[in-house]
């Protein structure tokens, strides 16, 4: 922090970010922006000195901007480093034998005046060198600048767009140049060596006991442990209570197993490596587990009279995919505090997101940029993330892996300061972490530490990196390890003896041996149903409530529907929305549309204490201008969400998070929210169904597999507009076939509780109402994917009566009929279909003059996963002997056909119609989702209708 005297000059003022417009402002629930700290501008005397000594100013600014290019940040000294002419003071006309006034140009460190014995506590300081009359010779100026900017830390902050941030950085690093945050005492240095040593010994132990194990060890990058230890400590002492940590494989086991950090049981690790599960199988039937490089842990770590809860998230091998999930988890933790004490608690006060990255992945993975883009958004920010790039290089040379100088350059897109630091110097690493954390605390923005190190064994321990990097690995294998280098320094300083070092290594190895001997007696446990999840059950267990009560009284429904559109008298609503309000109120006398049913589901859940959040693009009004859950005053642009205003203080809140144009990061963010808060209904709505393509790896790794891999339950809802209406290949399908292929719905052992996802294609508003309520009313959580309607949103054919949502009503996995308005004849055919296509066929039947049309029965399969075997068996048993047709809009190689065909045959076999063929009526196979020529689309619709009815 600033010294007392320096602080007099840099008086801090807490101010709000200036708002360009009030639209969707902080009157809207969930709208949060970080507090901004403002620093005073230069005084007139400082400005005069800057003008009078412009050559010195140019020199100082050039060193601040370019010093990192010459800094000693590469432990292997293999970087291509051209001479940096900008660091030569003679280029600016400065003279060696002249002294220069520094006022307003350069800061100098305070004089340290010890008042206590060394190595016991931090000394007090008195300030000199910040006065108006300070002058310094050019030689001393140059030395000071070299010490700050061209040493083991390379600083990049001059690109930051905010002047206050640049001022803070230059003042902080230049006044703190000689001490961090006080001289490292012996105990602190010894602790950092302990962390390094234990990491090295663990890797050696694993290499000896499990020589064929790919452990992705920390060797060469051991300084990430002192970095994290420092960050945990300064965070705890600053009042932060929770850290959410995400990281890829590298060094994960060292972090987990260190007794001063996550303290994960080495016995548990060894047991997992030996082939045993990391959880109790009896508690989680159907779970599969995951590899050791994806393990997680949670621990409350004490620091003096403080403690901090550190949670390491599980991650997939899709590297940076965990980043937005970590942001969502952090946001959820912070929002709990903001909701209960909105004035006293600001963004980032109590929760901190820490993300570790690989260098190649940080530069190459698009989700990194998407996640960085969320950092400052009012419905996605959590008060600043500390990023640590564990820069180990090797797999692909930097010249082939990125187009930028540094792997960290992508962070400059958000004006993020970057600290490059040499991983061979743990104390410099700790100082870089401290600077980064202080910046985050001051400005509540993201900051990046580029920890430049190496990997001793290549991609994994079974790899031979010299195949492609011979010179690099000749150098690596000829040098001491990072722990050994630091150990030698401490021995030279008299802080550690060779005997003490040797004994410490032996002692830790003996501890690992002791844990290794306990493998056979070890019984795994998990924390899946603890804390906020203590009232929930495992979905495949006997206590799971599959069919909770979801209907509510008609009067309650009407009250909520009215509350969703009640506005203050002085609110200037858009003229077209007056019709929307009157239509909603009038519909309560008859049948309601999808938007009204959705509002009633949200409002009823909110009255029961649940929160609801919808994120995506234009979710406030809805992609199809149907939702209008928020209203904007046409004169002031103030925003109002009626359900938040009209349901009472004890009700939950509706957060409408209009998002950036991102799919993968935003969807991952909502996954993180769903992991953290089972009392929240989190919904991600795509503008069109197949926009989820950009988030496919998030779906594959986090949504459909998290329960089986990590015992993680999620109540996430994905709303994916689906339906063929001539809009072309990219606006028609939500890729039904893809979700059904990802479903683990078994044809023989399905119990509905062990399904990894629910996929529905609802055809009525009442069905949507019950689905949303069921999602929260169950005593477990499971992802729900809704092929949500487009063309049906305002269709009178699809409207629902309020009676369909009252007590004793519930979601129907299948709906039988109605079929035709004409008098039914003798049944001869049953058409099974799903979603909107039912109404297309129904309209054709009603228009048909063919007598055969009256003998057709139709059945809608609303819930495809889990497949409704029992319900369908009961219906089809009534139509034995009839022709069975599956009708769909999608091409035959898409949609549900491949999925339903064998399941329909199973049902037919159960009702003694084995061997019966199910006829297909739909489009033929297609390379694209749909045609983009309207005449062809019209012809295809006519053909698939004819095929179904013929």
């Amino acid at each position: 922090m600033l010294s007392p005297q320096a602080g007099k000059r840099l008086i801090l003022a807490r101010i709000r970010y200036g708002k360009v417009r009030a639209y969707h402002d902080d009157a809207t629930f969930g709208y949060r922006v970080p507090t901004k700290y403002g620093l005073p501008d230069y005084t007139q005397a400082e400005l005069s000195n800057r003008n009078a000594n412009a050559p010195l100013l140019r020199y100082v600014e050039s060193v601040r901007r370019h010093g990192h290019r010459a800094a000693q940040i590469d432990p292997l000294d293999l970087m291509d480093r051209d001479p940096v002419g900008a660091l030569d003071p003679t280029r600016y006309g400065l003279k060696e034998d002249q002294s220069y006034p520094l006022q307003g140009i350069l800061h100098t460190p305070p004089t340290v005046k010890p008042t206590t014995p060394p190595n016991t506590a931090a000394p007090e300081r008195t300030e000199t060198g910040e006065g108006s009359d300070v002058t310094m010779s050019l030689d001393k100026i140059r030395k000071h600048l070299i010490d700050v900017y061209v040493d083991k830390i390379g600083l990049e902050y001059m690109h930051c767009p905010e002047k206050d941030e640049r001022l803070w950085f230059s003042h902080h690093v230049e006044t703190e140049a000689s001490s961090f945050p006080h001289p490292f005492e012996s105990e602190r240095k010894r602790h950092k060596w302990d962390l390094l040593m234990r990491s090295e010994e663990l890797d050696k132990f694993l290499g000896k006991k499990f020589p064929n194990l790919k452990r992705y060890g920390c060797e060469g990058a051991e300084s990430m442990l002192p970095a994290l230890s420092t960050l945990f400590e300064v965070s705890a002492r600053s009042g932060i209570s929770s850290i959410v940590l995400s990281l890829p494989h590298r060094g994960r086991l060292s972090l987990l197993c260190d007794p001063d950090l996550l303290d994960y049981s080495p016995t548990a690790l060894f047991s997992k490596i030996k082939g045993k599960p990391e959880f109790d199988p009896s508690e989680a039937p159907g779970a599969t587990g995951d590899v050791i490089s994806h393990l997680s842990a949670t621990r409350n770590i004490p620091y003096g009279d403080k403690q901090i809860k550190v949670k390491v998230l599980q991650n997939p091998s899709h590297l940076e995919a965990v980043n937005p999930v970590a942001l969502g988890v952090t946001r959820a933790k912070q929002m709990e505090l903001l909701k209960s004490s909105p004035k006293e608690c600001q963004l980032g006060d109590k929760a901190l997101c820490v993300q570790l990255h690989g260098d190649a992945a940080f530069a190459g993975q698009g989700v990194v940029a998407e996640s960085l883009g969320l950092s400052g958004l009012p419905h996605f920010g959590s008060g600043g993330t500390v990023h640590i790039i564990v820069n180990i290089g090797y797999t692909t040379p930097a010249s082939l892996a990125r187009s930028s100088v540094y792997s960290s350059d992508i962070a400059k897109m958000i004006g993020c300061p970057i600290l490059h630091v040499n991983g061979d110097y743990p104390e410099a690493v700790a100082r870089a972490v401290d600077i980064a954390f202080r910046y985050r605390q001051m400005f509540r923005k993201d900051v990046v530490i580029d920890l430049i190190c190496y990997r001793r064994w290549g991609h994994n321990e079974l790899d031979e990196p010299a195949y492609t990097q011979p010179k690099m690995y000749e150098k690596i294998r000829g040098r001491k390890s990072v722990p050994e280098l630091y150990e030698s320094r401490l021995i030279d300083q008299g802080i550690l003896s060779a005997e003490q070092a040797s004994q410490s290594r032996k002692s830790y190895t003996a501890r690992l041996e002791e844990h290794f001997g306990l493998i056979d007696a070890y019984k795994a446990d998990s924390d899946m149903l603890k804390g906020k999840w203590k009232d929930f059950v495992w979905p495949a267990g006997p206590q799971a409530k599959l069919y909770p009560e979801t209907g509510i009284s008609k009067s309650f429904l009407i009250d909520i529907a009215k509350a969703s559109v009640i506005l203050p008298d002085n609110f200037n609503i858009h003229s077209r929305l007056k019709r929307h309000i009157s239509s909603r109120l009038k519909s309560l006398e008859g049948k309601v549309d999808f938007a009204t049913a959705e509002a009633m589901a949200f409002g009823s859940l909110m009255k029961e204490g649940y929160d609801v959040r919808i994120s995506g693009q234009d979710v406030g009004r809805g992609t199809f201008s149907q939702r209008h859950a928020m209203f904007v005053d046409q004169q002031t642009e103030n925003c109002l969400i009626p359900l938040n205003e009209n349901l009472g203080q004890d009700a939950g809140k509706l957060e409408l998070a209009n998002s950036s144009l991102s799919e993968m990061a935003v969807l991952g963010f909502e996954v993180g929210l769903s992991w953290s808060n089972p009392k929240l209904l989190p919904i991600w709505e795509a503008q069109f169904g197949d926009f989820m393509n950009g988030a496919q790896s998030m779906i594959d790794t986090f949504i459909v597999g998290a329960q089986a891999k990590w015992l993680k339950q999620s109540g996430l809802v994905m709303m994916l507009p689906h339906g063929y209406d001539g809009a072309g290949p990219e606006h028609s399908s939500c890729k039904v076939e893809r979700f059904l292929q990802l479903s683990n719905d078994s044809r023989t052992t399905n119990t509905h509780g062990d399904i990894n996802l629910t996929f529905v294609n609802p055809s009525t508003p009442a069905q949507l109402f019950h689905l949303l309520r069921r999602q929260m009313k169950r005593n477990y959580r499971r992802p729900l994917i809704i092929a949500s309607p487009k063309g049906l949103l305002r269709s009178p054919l699809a409207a629902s009566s309020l009676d369909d949502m009252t007590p004793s009503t519930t979601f129907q996995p299948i709906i039988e009929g109605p079929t035709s308005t004409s008098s039914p004849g003798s049944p001869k055919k049953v058409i099974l279909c799903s979603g909107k296509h039912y109404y297309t066929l129904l309209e054709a039947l009603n228009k048909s003059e063919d007598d055969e049309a009256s003998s057709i029965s139709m059945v809608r399969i609303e819930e495809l996963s889990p497949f409704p075997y029992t319900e369908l068996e009961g219906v089809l048993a009534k139509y034995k002997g009839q022709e069975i047709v599956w009708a769909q809009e999608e091409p035959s190689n898409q949609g549900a056909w491949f999925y339903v065909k064998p399941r329909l045959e199973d049902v037919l076999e159960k009702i003694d119609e084995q061997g019966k063929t199910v006829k297909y009526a739909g489009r033929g196979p297609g390379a694209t989702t749909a045609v983009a020529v309207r005449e062809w689309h019209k012809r295809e619709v006519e053909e698939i209708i004819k095929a179904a009815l013929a």
Side-chain angles (χ1 to χ4, degrees), residues 143-356:
K143 183 179 184 305
H144 178 46
L145 288 170
I146 294 298
D147 287 344
V148 175
Y149 294 103
V150 196
D151 196 15
K152 304 301 185 297
I153 302 176
L155 300 163
E156 288 192 273
Y157 64 87
M158 293 297 286
H159 62 276
C160 294
E162 294 284 344
K163 181 191 68 175
D164 289 339
E165 296 174 31
R166 300 193 301 273
L167 285 174
W168 180 90
F169 240 105
S170 60
H171 180 274
H172 185 73
V173 299
E174 290 164 18
T175 60
E176 296 283 346
S178 62
S179 57
F180 151 71
H182 45 70
F184 274 100
E185 68 274 13
S186 299
E187 182 180 351
R188 190 176 292 272
K189 291 184 178 183
R190 175 62 186 268
H191 180 249
K192 298 200 179 310
W193 176 78
D194 284 338
L195 293 167
L196 299 172
M197 176 272 293
R198 289 195 292 258
S199 177
E200 184 172 51
E201 292 303 314
L202 176 63
D203 278 321
K204 288 181 179 179
F205 187 86
L206 292 174
K208 177 182 176 182
K209 297 292 186 181
F210 308 100
N212 296 319
L213 174 70
K214 295 179 182 179
R215 63 183 183 274
Y216 303 100
C218 209
E219 292 157 293
E222 288 94 346
S223 284
M224 66 171 269
L225 299 181
L228 289 171
S229 176
T230 300
L231 186 54
F232 296 167
E233 180 181 1
V234 295
S235 298
R237 297 191 188 282
S238 296
I240 289 175
S241 59
S242 182
I243 284 180
V244 178
L245 176 60
S246 64
L247 72 160
H249 308 345
R250 189 67 51 187
R252 191 183 194 93
L253 303 184
S254 294
L255 167 65
L256 291 177
C257 292
D258 192 277
D260 290 341
L261 298 177
L262 273 298
D263 198 24
Y264 186 83
S265 167
T267 306
L269 174 62
F270 302 151
S271 174
K272 174 64 178 175
I273 296 172
K274 281 278 193 178
K276 296 182 179 180
E278 65 271 31
F279 54 88
D280 185 347
S282 66
E283 295 181 354
T288 61
D290 205 351
V291 297
I292 61 169
S293 51
H294 300 166
L295 292 174
S296 69
T298 302
R299 184 193 176 200
N300 289 309
I301 307 177
Y303 290 100
D305 61 345
K306 306 276 189 178
Q307 72 171 12
I308 191 164
K309 185 176 183 177
V310 179
K311 182 177 187 60
V312 177
L313 297 182
Q314 297 92 341
N315 68 292
S317 289
H318 284 258
L319 300 174
E320 306 291 325
V322 71
N323 298 355
V325 179
L327 294 176
V329 172
T330 309
R331 169 82 174 194
K333 291 180 178 294
Q334 189 65 56
M335 285 300 292
E336 292 174 20
L337 299 168
L338 297 179
K339 186 178 178 182
S340 60
S341 55
K343 300 301 182 184
E344 296 77 12
C345 185
Q346 301 297 327
L347 271 183
D349 279 1
K350 296 296 182 182
L352 169 64
C353 184
V354 179
Q355 297 185 2
L356 271 64

Side-chain angles (χ1 to χ4, degrees), residues 405-515:
V405 176
Y406 297 112
S407 62
S408 56
D409 284 346
I410 187 68
K412 292 178 181 177
M413 65 176 274
I414 58 169
C416 186
I418 299 162
L419 297 87
H420 310 277
V421 59
N422 191 322
D424 267 2
Y425 295 85
E427 292 174 30
V429 171
R431 179 169 183 258
V433 169
D434 184 74
I435 294 170
F437 177 76
R438 291 172 188 241
Y439 167 86
R440 184 269 182 188
Q441 289 297 92
M442 184 69 74
F443 297 104
R444 301 300 165 91
K445 290 185 175 182
D446 287 28
V447 60
V448 172
I449 300 161
D450 182 16
L451 177 60
I452 301 177
C453 39
Y454 59 90
R455 38 180 153 190
R456 183 166 288 276
W457 304 112
H459 182 65
N460 60 66
E461 291 73 19
L462 308 184
D463 185 31
E464 176 47 79
Y467 290 151
T468 55
Q469 298 283 338
K471 290 186 178 180
M472 176 187 289
Y473 277 86
E474 180 182 5
K475 197 160 193 174
I476 289 173
R477 286 163 180 167
R479 73 197 313 271
K480 287 184 176 181
S481 68
V482 175
E484 289 170 340
L485 286 172
Y486 194 53
E487 181 179 305
S488 296
R489 294 184 202 125
L490 297 190
I491 290 174
D492 291 343
Q493 295 172 21
I495 294 173
L496 183 69
S497 69
E499 293 76 18
Q500 288 173 326
S502 176
Q503 183 56 43
S504 293
R505 289 178 180 273
K506 290 178 181 178
S507 177
Y508 187 64
T509 301
R511 178 177 182 270
L512 295 176
E513 285 282 5
E514 182 180 352
H515 277 277

Side-chain angles (χ1 to χ4, degrees), residues 829-833 841 856-860 883 885 887 948-949:
K829 178 190 292 187
V830 176
I831 298 177
L832 297 108
C833 59
L841 296 173
I856 294 176
S857 299
M858 284 206 294
V859 176
R860 285 169 271 177
E883 181 183 11
V885 178
L949 302 186

